[in-house]
Amino acid sequence: MPTALITGATAGLGAAFARRLAAEAFSLVLVARDEARLAESAGQLKLRYGVDVETLPADLTTDEGLAAVEARVRQGVDLLVNNAGFGHHGRFPDVPAADEVRMLKLHCEAVLRLTLAALPGMRERERGAIVNVASVAAFFSRGTYSASKAWVVNFSESAAADIGDPRIKIMALCPGFVRTEFHQRAGMDTAGIPGFLWLKADDVVREGLRDLALGKRVSVPDVRYKTIVALGRLVPRGLQHYVSSRIGR
C-alpha cells in the first residue's frame, strides 16, 4: 500500500488531498500544528476509508517542527504533498519582517528541505511523486506571498528537470481562489472577489492529481484560471499589478 505525507492536512486543500488519496487506498501521514484536529481528521478517515493514518503534529515554521517532518519523510513516502501555507492581510512593506520570514520559511525552506528528504528514497525505489502547492498568484506581482509561490513553481520545474527521471514526478499545483479557511485565517476581505472565480477544493485536487499522472510539471486547475494566466502573460506588468491589487491575492 503506497504512503502519502501531506502537510497542512486538516483543512482546505490538504484535507481534500487526504480524502482523495484515502479513497485511492493510500496510507496517510497527516502533518499540521493542531494535534486535536489531526486526531479528529485521522479518526474520520480511518472510519470512512479503512486506511492507516499516522499523525505528526509539527509547526513547519520552526526548526524543530521541520526537522521532525524531515525525519519522517526520510523513512519513506511514495507521495509528498507540500501544502502548508498562509497569507498576510497587510501589504508589503507594512507586514512585520518576522512574519515575512515565517512565510518564506514555510513556503520555500520547508518545500526545499522536505523535497530533498524525499528524493533519495524515491530515487532508490525508482518511483515517487511530489506535489508542491503554489498558487496562480505565482504568475502575478503581489508582495511576498506571490514571490514565494513563484519560487515554488520555479523550484518544482527546475527540480523535475534536474532529476530527469519520468518515474519520479515533481509538480507545482497552482490553484486560484479556493473555498477554504485560508483567507479567513489571514484576515483577508474576500467580498470583492467575483463568485465565478471560486473553486472547490475537491475539484482542484482531482485535476491536480490527473495532471501529476500525466507528467505535467505545472498544473493550473480549471479553464478559467488557465485563461487568466495566459492573458496575464500578454498584458503589461503594471496592469497586472493594478488588477491584482483590486481583486486581491
Side-chain angles (χ1 to χ4, degrees), residues 61-104:
T61 66
T62 68
D63 289 335
E64 296 81 5
L66 185 48
V69 181
E70 277 182 301
R72 178 58 186 86
V73 171
R74 289 194 187 101
Q75 294 177 23
V77 296
D78 299 283
L79 172 60
L80 168 64
V81 181
N82 283 311
N83 167 72
F86 67 91
H88 297 309
H89 71 274
R91 295 170 180 261
F92 183 86
D94 300 327
V95 176
D99 292 341
E100 296 281 38
V101 171
R102 283 183 63 246
M103 175 179 285
L104 292 175

mmCIF file of all heavy atoms in Angstrom, residues 61-104:
data_model
loop_
_atom_site.group_PDB
_atom_site.id
_atom_site.type_symbol
_atom_site.label_atom_id
_atom_site.label_comp_id
_atom_site.label_asym_id
_atom_site.label_seq_id
_atom_site.Cartn_x
_atom_site.Cartn_y
_atom_site.Cartn_z
ATOM 1 N N THR A 61 7.218 26.175 10.546
ATOM 2 C CA THR A 61 7.942 27.448 10.587
ATOM 3 C C THR A 61 8.996 27.437 11.688
ATOM 4 O O THR A 61 9.706 28.436 11.874
ATOM 5 C CB THR A 61 6.991 28.642 10.816
ATOM 6 O OG1 THR A 61 6.413 28.556 12.133
ATOM 7 C CG2 THR A 61 5.897 28.675 9.770
ATOM 8 N N THR A 62 9.112 26.315 12.414
ATOM 9 C CA THR A 62 10.146 26.182 13.438
ATOM 10 C C THR A 62 11.156 25.130 12.995
ATOM 11 O O THR A 62 10.817 24.183 12.267
ATOM 12 C CB THR A 62 9.551 25.759 14.787
ATOM 13 O OG1 THR A 62 9.043 24.418 14.698
ATOM 14 C CG2 THR A 62 8.426 26.707 15.197
ATOM 15 N N ASP A 63 12.393 25.263 13.459
ATOM 16 C CA ASP A 63 13.425 24.289 13.105
ATOM 17 C C ASP A 63 13.082 22.913 13.655
ATOM 18 O O ASP A 63 13.307 21.900 12.981
ATOM 19 C CB ASP A 63 14.778 24.744 13.654
ATOM 20 C CG ASP A 63 15.331 25.955 12.912
ATOM 21 O OD1 ASP A 63 14.959 26.145 11.732
ATOM 22 O OD2 ASP A 63 16.117 26.714 13.510
ATOM 23 N N GLU A 64 12.524 22.869 14.870
ATOM 24 C CA GLU A 64 12.191 21.583 15.478
ATOM 25 C C GLU A 64 11.093 20.870 14.703
ATOM 26 O O GLU A 64 11.186 19.660 14.430
ATOM 27 C CB GLU A 64 11.744 21.791 16.930
ATOM 28 C CG GLU A 64 12.806 22.357 17.850
ATOM 29 C CD GLU A 64 12.967 23.865 17.740
ATOM 30 O OE1 GLU A 64 12.163 24.504 17.001
ATOM 31 O OE2 GLU A 64 13.891 24.410 18.380
ATOM 32 N N GLY A 65 10.055 21.611 14.327
ATOM 33 C CA GLY A 65 8.957 21.007 13.587
ATOM 34 C C GLY A 65 9.390 20.523 12.220
ATOM 35 O O GLY A 65 9.033 19.418 11.786
ATOM 36 N N LEU A 66 10.171 21.318 11.546
ATOM 37 C CA LEU A 66 10.631 20.948 10.204
ATOM 38 C C LEU A 66 11.552 19.739 10.258
ATOM 39 O O LEU A 66 11.446 18.822 9.422
ATOM 40 C CB LEU A 66 11.338 22.142 9.561
ATOM 41 C CG LEU A 66 11.794 22.009 8.106
ATOM 42 C CD1 LEU A 66 10.688 21.465 7.219
ATOM 43 C CD2 LEU A 66 12.282 23.356 7.596
ATOM 44 N N ALA A 67 12.425 19.689 11.255
ATOM 45 C CA ALA A 67 13.328 18.545 11.390
ATOM 46 C C ALA A 67 12.552 17.259 11.661
ATOM 47 O O ALA A 67 12.899 16.189 11.144
ATOM 48 C CB ALA A 67 14.336 18.806 12.508
ATOM 49 N N ALA A 68 11.485 17.344 12.461
ATOM 50 C CA ALA A 68 10.689 16.157 12.759
ATOM 51 C C ALA A 68 10.013 15.605 11.508
ATOM 52 O O ALA A 68 9.969 14.382 11.294
ATOM 53 C CB ALA A 68 9.639 16.497 13.824
ATOM 54 N N VAL A 69 9.507 16.489 10.670
ATOM 55 C CA VAL A 69 8.840 16.031 9.445
ATOM 56 C C VAL A 69 9.876 15.524 8.444
ATOM 57 O O VAL A 69 9.642 14.524 7.751
ATOM 58 C CB VAL A 69 7.969 17.148 8.851
ATOM 59 C CG1 VAL A 69 7.256 16.653 7.587
ATOM 60 C CG2 VAL A 69 6.928 17.618 9.871
ATOM 61 N N GLU A 70 11.025 16.185 8.362
ATOM 62 C CA GLU A 70 12.103 15.674 7.508
ATOM 63 C C GLU A 70 12.442 14.233 7.876
ATOM 64 O O GLU A 70 12.602 13.373 6.992
ATOM 65 C CB GLU A 70 13.365 16.524 7.681
ATOM 66 C CG GLU A 70 13.423 17.784 6.873
ATOM 67 C CD GLU A 70 14.749 18.492 7.097
ATOM 68 O OE1 GLU A 70 15.059 18.832 8.252
ATOM 69 O OE2 GLU A 70 15.482 18.691 6.112
ATOM 70 N N ALA A 71 12.572 13.973 9.169
ATOM 71 C CA ALA A 71 12.939 12.632 9.612
ATOM 72 C C ALA A 71 11.888 11.607 9.192
ATOM 73 O O ALA A 71 12.238 10.489 8.766
ATOM 74 C CB ALA A 71 13.113 12.615 11.135
ATOM 75 N N ARG A 72 10.608 11.967 9.278
ATOM 76 C CA ARG A 72 9.552 11.028 8.868
ATOM 77 C C ARG A 72 9.567 10.821 7.361
ATOM 78 O O ARG A 72 9.370 9.693 6.881
ATOM 79 C CB ARG A 72 8.185 11.550 9.316
ATOM 80 C CG ARG A 72 7.014 10.657 8.874
ATOM 81 C CD ARG A 72 7.188 9.251 9.402
ATOM 82 N NE ARG A 72 6.170 8.330 8.894
ATOM 83 C CZ ARG A 72 6.261 7.672 7.737
ATOM 84 N NH1 ARG A 72 7.333 7.840 6.954
ATOM 85 N NH2 ARG A 72 5.311 6.843 7.356
ATOM 86 N N VAL A 73 9.812 11.867 6.601
ATOM 87 C CA VAL A 73 9.864 11.732 5.146
ATOM 88 C C VAL A 73 11.010 10.810 4.735
ATOM 89 O O VAL A 73 10.867 9.989 3.817
ATOM 90 C CB VAL A 73 10.012 13.117 4.483
ATOM 91 C CG1 VAL A 73 10.300 12.979 2.986
ATOM 92 C CG2 VAL A 73 8.743 13.952 4.691
ATOM 93 N N ARG A 74 12.130 10.895 5.426
ATOM 94 C CA ARG A 74 13.287 10.049 5.089
ATOM 95 C C ARG A 74 13.003 8.570 5.331
ATOM 96 O O ARG A 74 13.676 7.713 4.748
ATOM 97 C CB ARG A 74 14.508 10.483 5.896
ATOM 98 C CG ARG A 74 15.092 11.816 5.478
ATOM 99 C CD ARG A 74 16.474 12.032 6.079
ATOM 100 N NE ARG A 74 16.942 13.376 5.804
ATOM 101 C CZ ARG A 74 16.901 14.378 6.681
ATOM 102 N NH1 ARG A 74 16.409 14.162 7.896
ATOM 103 N NH2 ARG A 74 17.343 15.572 6.354
ATOM 104 N N GLN A 75 12.024 8.272 6.180
ATOM 105 C CA GLN A 75 11.654 6.867 6.393
ATOM 106 C C GLN A 75 11.002 6.262 5.155
ATOM 107 O O GLN A 75 10.913 5.041 5.042
ATOM 108 C CB GLN A 75 10.711 6.756 7.586
ATOM 109 C CG GLN A 75 11.339 7.111 8.916
ATOM 110 C CD GLN A 75 10.335 7.058 10.056
ATOM 111 O OE1 GLN A 75 9.309 6.372 9.970
ATOM 112 N NE2 GLN A 75 10.598 7.782 11.124
ATOM 113 N N GLY A 76 10.534 7.113 4.256
ATOM 114 C CA GLY A 76 9.968 6.641 3.005
ATOM 115 C C GLY A 76 8.519 7.032 2.800
ATOM 116 O O GLY A 76 7.673 6.691 3.625
ATOM 117 N N VAL A 77 8.271 7.767 1.736
ATOM 118 C CA VAL A 77 6.907 8.088 1.303
ATOM 119 C C VAL A 77 6.865 7.959 -0.215
ATOM 120 O O VAL A 77 7.854 8.202 -0.898
ATOM 121 C CB VAL A 77 6.456 9.502 1.729
ATOM 122 C CG1 VAL A 77 6.385 9.617 3.245
ATOM 123 C CG2 VAL A 77 7.368 10.575 1.155
ATOM 124 N N ASP A 78 5.715 7.570 -0.712
ATOM 125 C CA ASP A 78 5.548 7.442 -2.168
ATOM 126 C C ASP A 78 5.064 8.746 -2.792
ATOM 127 O O ASP A 78 5.338 9.023 -3.956
ATOM 128 C CB ASP A 78 4.546 6.324 -2.474
ATOM 129 C CG ASP A 78 5.033 4.985 -1.950
ATOM 130 O OD1 ASP A 78 5.921 4.397 -2.586
ATOM 131 O OD2 ASP A 78 4.538 4.545 -0.894
ATOM 132 N N LEU A 79 4.330 9.524 -1.999
ATOM 133 C CA LEU A 79 3.825 10.812 -2.472
ATOM 134 C C LEU A 79 3.962 11.830 -1.344
ATOM 135 O O LEU A 79 3.495 11.602 -0.235
ATOM 136 C CB LEU A 79 2.360 10.695 -2.893
ATOM 137 C CG LEU A 79 1.624 11.998 -3.246
ATOM 138 C CD1 LEU A 79 2.283 12.714 -4.414
ATOM 139 C CD2 LEU A 79 0.158 11.724 -3.548
ATOM 140 N N LEU A 80 4.619 12.933 -1.654
ATOM 141 C CA LEU A 80 4.757 14.036 -0.710
ATOM 142 C C LEU A 80 3.938 15.210 -1.227
ATOM 143 O O LEU A 80 4.103 15.621 -2.381
ATOM 144 C CB LEU A 80 6.229 14.451 -0.581
ATOM 145 C CG LEU A 80 6.528 15.765 0.155
ATOM 146 C CD1 LEU A 80 6.097 15.686 1.615
ATOM 147 C CD2 LEU A 80 8.010 16.108 0.036
ATOM 148 N N VAL A 81 3.051 15.741 -0.388
ATOM 149 C CA VAL A 81 2.259 16.911 -0.761
ATOM 150 C C VAL A 81 2.646 18.059 0.165
ATOM 151 O O VAL A 81 2.259 18.085 1.341
ATOM 152 C CB VAL A 81 0.745 16.631 -0.663
ATOM 153 C CG1 VAL A 81 -0.041 17.880 -1.082
ATOM 154 C CG2 VAL A 81 0.356 15.441 -1.534
ATOM 155 N N ASN A 82 3.433 18.981 -0.347
ATOM 156 C CA ASN A 82 3.818 20.178 0.398
ATOM 157 C C ASN A 82 2.710 21.218 0.229
ATOM 158 O O ASN A 82 2.724 22.028 -0.696
ATOM 159 C CB ASN A 82 5.150 20.726 -0.128
ATOM 160 C CG ASN A 82 6.340 19.931 0.355
ATOM 161 O OD1 ASN A 82 6.478 19.641 1.538
ATOM 162 N ND2 ASN A 82 7.218 19.555 -0.574
ATOM 163 N N ASN A 83 1.764 21.179 1.157
ATOM 164 C CA ASN A 83 0.574 22.014 1.025
ATOM 165 C C ASN A 83 0.512 23.155 2.037
ATOM 166 O O ASN A 83 -0.140 24.171 1.780
ATOM 167 C CB ASN A 83 -0.677 21.139 1.178
ATOM 168 C CG ASN A 83 -1.931 21.955 1.360
ATOM 169 O OD1 ASN A 83 -2.424 22.595 0.427
ATOM 170 N ND2 ASN A 83 -2.466 21.966 2.585
ATOM 171 N N ALA A 84 1.171 23.016 3.170
ATOM 172 C CA ALA A 84 1.039 24.003 4.239
ATOM 173 C C ALA A 84 1.416 25.399 3.752
ATOM 174 O O ALA A 84 2.401 25.580 3.027
ATOM 175 C CB ALA A 84 1.917 23.612 5.425
ATOM 176 N N GLY A 85 0.607 26.388 4.145
ATOM 177 C CA GLY A 85 0.900 27.760 3.746
ATOM 178 C C GLY A 85 -0.039 28.730 4.426
ATOM 179 O O GLY A 85 -1.035 28.331 5.031
ATOM 180 N N PHE A 86 0.285 30.008 4.340
ATOM 181 C CA PHE A 86 -0.589 31.042 4.901
ATOM 182 C C PHE A 86 -0.352 32.348 4.159
ATOM 183 O O PHE A 86 0.607 32.483 3.379
ATOM 184 C CB PHE A 86 -0.353 31.222 6.411
ATOM 185 C CG PHE A 86 1.004 31.786 6.773
ATOM 186 C CD1 PHE A 86 1.192 33.160 6.893
ATOM 187 C CD2 PHE A 86 2.078 30.944 7.005
ATOM 188 C CE1 PHE A 86 2.432 33.677 7.241
ATOM 189 C CE2 PHE A 86 3.319 31.456 7.352
ATOM 190 C CZ PHE A 86 3.494 32.834 7.465
ATOM 191 N N GLY A 87 -1.253 33.303 4.382
ATOM 192 C CA GLY A 87 -1.139 34.615 3.765
ATOM 193 C C GLY A 87 -1.193 35.717 4.800
ATOM 194 O O GLY A 87 -1.551 35.485 5.959
ATOM 195 N N HIS A 88 -0.827 36.925 4.395
ATOM 196 C CA HIS A 88 -0.930 38.111 5.246
ATOM 197 C C HIS A 88 -2.058 38.998 4.734
ATOM 198 O O HIS A 88 -2.280 39.089 3.516
ATOM 199 C CB HIS A 88 0.363 38.934 5.196
ATOM 200 C CG HIS A 88 1.571 38.213 5.712
ATOM 201 N ND1 HIS A 88 1.599 37.584 6.930
ATOM 202 C CD2 HIS A 88 2.804 38.038 5.169
ATOM 203 C CE1 HIS A 88 2.795 37.052 7.120
ATOM 204 N NE2 HIS A 88 3.540 37.311 6.071
ATOM 205 N N HIS A 89 -2.743 39.673 5.644
ATOM 206 C CA HIS A 89 -3.765 40.613 5.189
ATOM 207 C C HIS A 89 -3.159 41.972 4.865
ATOM 208 O O HIS A 89 -3.771 42.785 4.184
ATOM 209 C CB HIS A 89 -4.865 40.764 6.248
ATOM 210 C CG HIS A 89 -4.431 41.513 7.475
ATOM 211 N ND1 HIS A 89 -3.812 40.895 8.528
ATOM 212 C CD2 HIS A 89 -4.507 42.826 7.788
ATOM 213 C CE1 HIS A 89 -3.527 41.795 9.464
ATOM 214 N NE2 HIS A 89 -3.936 42.960 9.039
ATOM 215 N N GLY A 90 -1.940 42.227 5.337
ATOM 216 C CA GLY A 90 -1.289 43.501 5.065
ATOM 217 C C GLY A 90 -0.508 43.491 3.769
ATOM 218 O O GLY A 90 -0.328 42.445 3.137
ATOM 219 N N ARG A 91 -0.039 44.669 3.377
ATOM 220 C CA ARG A 91 0.741 44.815 2.157
ATOM 221 C C ARG A 91 2.210 45.069 2.494
ATOM 222 O O ARG A 91 2.536 45.629 3.524
ATOM 223 C CB ARG A 91 0.226 46.003 1.323
ATOM 224 C CG ARG A 91 -1.176 45.845 0.778
ATOM 225 C CD ARG A 91 -1.664 47.160 0.184
ATOM 226 N NE ARG A 91 -3.005 47.056 -0.359
ATOM 227 C CZ ARG A 91 -3.282 46.896 -1.637
ATOM 228 N NH1 ARG A 91 -2.304 46.814 -2.516
ATOM 229 N NH2 ARG A 91 -4.532 46.815 -2.065
ATOM 230 N N PHE A 92 3.067 44.654 1.605
ATOM 231 C CA PHE A 92 4.477 44.979 1.730
ATOM 232 C C PHE A 92 4.656 46.490 1.533
ATOM 233 O O PHE A 92 4.038 47.056 0.641
ATOM 234 C CB PHE A 92 5.272 44.213 0.663
ATOM 235 C CG PHE A 92 6.752 44.422 0.746
ATOM 236 C CD1 PHE A 92 7.511 43.643 1.593
ATOM 237 C CD2 PHE A 92 7.369 45.409 -0.011
ATOM 238 C CE1 PHE A 92 8.882 43.839 1.680
ATOM 239 C CE2 PHE A 92 8.721 45.614 0.081
ATOM 240 C CZ PHE A 92 9.485 44.827 0.930
ATOM 241 N N PRO A 93 5.449 47.173 2.384
ATOM 242 C CA PRO A 93 6.319 46.669 3.446
ATOM 243 C C PRO A 93 5.723 46.825 4.838
ATOM 244 O O PRO A 93 6.470 46.935 5.812
ATOM 245 C CB PRO A 93 7.547 47.557 3.290
ATOM 246 C CG PRO A 93 6.955 48.894 2.927
ATOM 247 C CD PRO A 93 5.722 48.603 2.086
ATOM 248 N N ASP A 94 4.382 46.844 4.951
ATOM 249 C CA ASP A 94 3.752 47.072 6.253
ATOM 250 C C ASP A 94 3.752 45.834 7.144
ATOM 251 O O ASP A 94 3.622 45.952 8.358
ATOM 252 C CB ASP A 94 2.314 47.555 6.050
ATOM 253 C CG ASP A 94 2.253 48.863 5.269
ATOM 254 O OD1 ASP A 94 3.192 49.672 5.424
ATOM 255 O OD2 ASP A 94 1.293 49.061 4.499
ATOM 256 N N VAL A 95 3.873 44.653 6.553
ATOM 257 C CA VAL A 95 3.896 43.413 7.341
ATOM 258 C C VAL A 95 5.230 43.326 8.079
ATOM 259 O O VAL A 95 6.287 43.552 7.482
ATOM 260 C CB VAL A 95 3.711 42.184 6.423
ATOM 261 C CG1 VAL A 95 3.835 40.899 7.224
ATOM 262 C CG2 VAL A 95 2.368 42.251 5.714
ATOM 263 N N PRO A 96 5.232 42.990 9.360
ATOM 264 C CA PRO A 96 6.484 42.866 10.108
ATOM 265 C C PRO A 96 7.446 41.875 9.450
ATOM 266 O O PRO A 96 7.023 40.829 8.932
ATOM 267 C CB PRO A 96 6.033 42.363 11.484
ATOM 268 C CG PRO A 96 4.624 42.849 11.613
ATOM 269 C CD PRO A 96 4.046 42.778 10.235
ATOM 270 N N ALA A 97 8.723 42.195 9.500
ATOM 271 C CA ALA A 97 9.733 41.348 8.858
ATOM 272 C C ALA A 97 9.695 39.926 9.393
ATOM 273 O O ALA A 97 9.876 38.962 8.634
ATOM 274 C CB ALA A 97 11.122 41.961 9.046
ATOM 275 N N ALA A 98 9.446 39.768 10.691
ATOM 276 C CA ALA A 98 9.418 38.420 11.268
ATOM 277 C C ALA A 98 8.314 37.574 10.649
ATOM 278 O O ALA A 98 8.489 36.367 10.429
ATOM 279 C CB ALA A 98 9.228 38.509 12.783
ATOM 280 N N ASP A 99 7.174 38.190 10.359
ATOM 281 C CA ASP A 99 6.071 37.459 9.728
ATOM 282 C C ASP A 99 6.409 37.094 8.284
ATOM 283 O O ASP A 99 6.030 36.015 7.799
ATOM 284 C CB ASP A 99 4.792 38.295 9.776
ATOM 285 C CG ASP A 99 4.264 38.468 11.193
ATOM 286 O OD1 ASP A 99 4.648 37.667 12.073
ATOM 287 O OD2 ASP A 99 3.471 39.399 11.421
ATOM 288 N N GLU A 100 7.089 37.993 7.591
ATOM 289 C CA GLU A 100 7.505 37.693 6.215
ATOM 290 C C GLU A 100 8.497 36.530 6.199
ATOM 291 O O GLU A 100 8.422 35.644 5.334
ATOM 292 C CB GLU A 100 8.148 38.932 5.587
ATOM 293 C CG GLU A 100 7.226 40.129 5.429
ATOM 294 C CD GLU A 100 6.303 40.014 4.234
ATOM 295 O OE1 GLU A 100 5.818 38.900 3.946
ATOM 296 O OE2 GLU A 100 6.071 41.056 3.582
ATOM 297 N N VAL A 101 9.426 36.524 7.149
ATOM 298 C CA VAL A 101 10.413 35.449 7.208
ATOM 299 C C VAL A 101 9.743 34.117 7.525
ATOM 300 O O VAL A 101 10.107 33.074 6.978
ATOM 301 C CB VAL A 101 11.507 35.782 8.244
ATOM 302 C CG1 VAL A 101 12.417 34.576 8.489
ATOM 303 C CG2 VAL A 101 12.337 36.970 7.766
ATOM 304 N N ARG A 102 8.729 34.125 8.410
ATOM 305 C CA ARG A 102 7.970 32.894 8.700
ATOM 306 C C ARG A 102 7.338 32.353 7.426
ATOM 307 O O ARG A 102 7.336 31.135 7.183
ATOM 308 C CB ARG A 102 6.884 33.156 9.740
ATOM 309 C CG ARG A 102 7.385 33.269 11.163
ATOM 310 C CD ARG A 102 6.241 33.468 12.150
ATOM 311 N NE ARG A 102 5.336 32.328 12.173
ATOM 312 C CZ ARG A 102 4.069 32.373 11.765
ATOM 313 N NH1 ARG A 102 3.536 33.487 11.290
ATOM 314 N NH2 ARG A 102 3.316 31.291 11.830
ATOM 315 N N MET A 103 6.788 33.251 6.611
ATOM 316 C CA MET A 103 6.173 32.819 5.362
ATOM 317 C C MET A 103 7.209 32.189 4.437
ATOM 318 O O MET A 103 6.971 31.121 3.845
ATOM 319 C CB MET A 103 5.488 33.999 4.658
ATOM 320 C CG MET A 103 4.928 33.642 3.289
ATOM 321 S SD MET A 103 4.091 35.015 2.487
ATOM 322 C CE MET A 103 2.568 35.049 3.431
ATOM 323 N N LEU A 104 8.362 32.820 4.303
ATOM 324 C CA LEU A 104 9.395 32.277 3.432
ATOM 325 C C LEU A 104 9.903 30.933 3.943
ATOM 326 O O LEU A 104 10.204 30.034 3.146
ATOM 327 C CB LEU A 104 10.550 33.268 3.311
ATOM 328 C CG LEU A 104 10.230 34.569 2.566
ATOM 329 C CD1 LEU A 104 11.411 35.525 2.628
ATOM 330 C CD2 LEU A 104 9.838 34.294 1.115
#
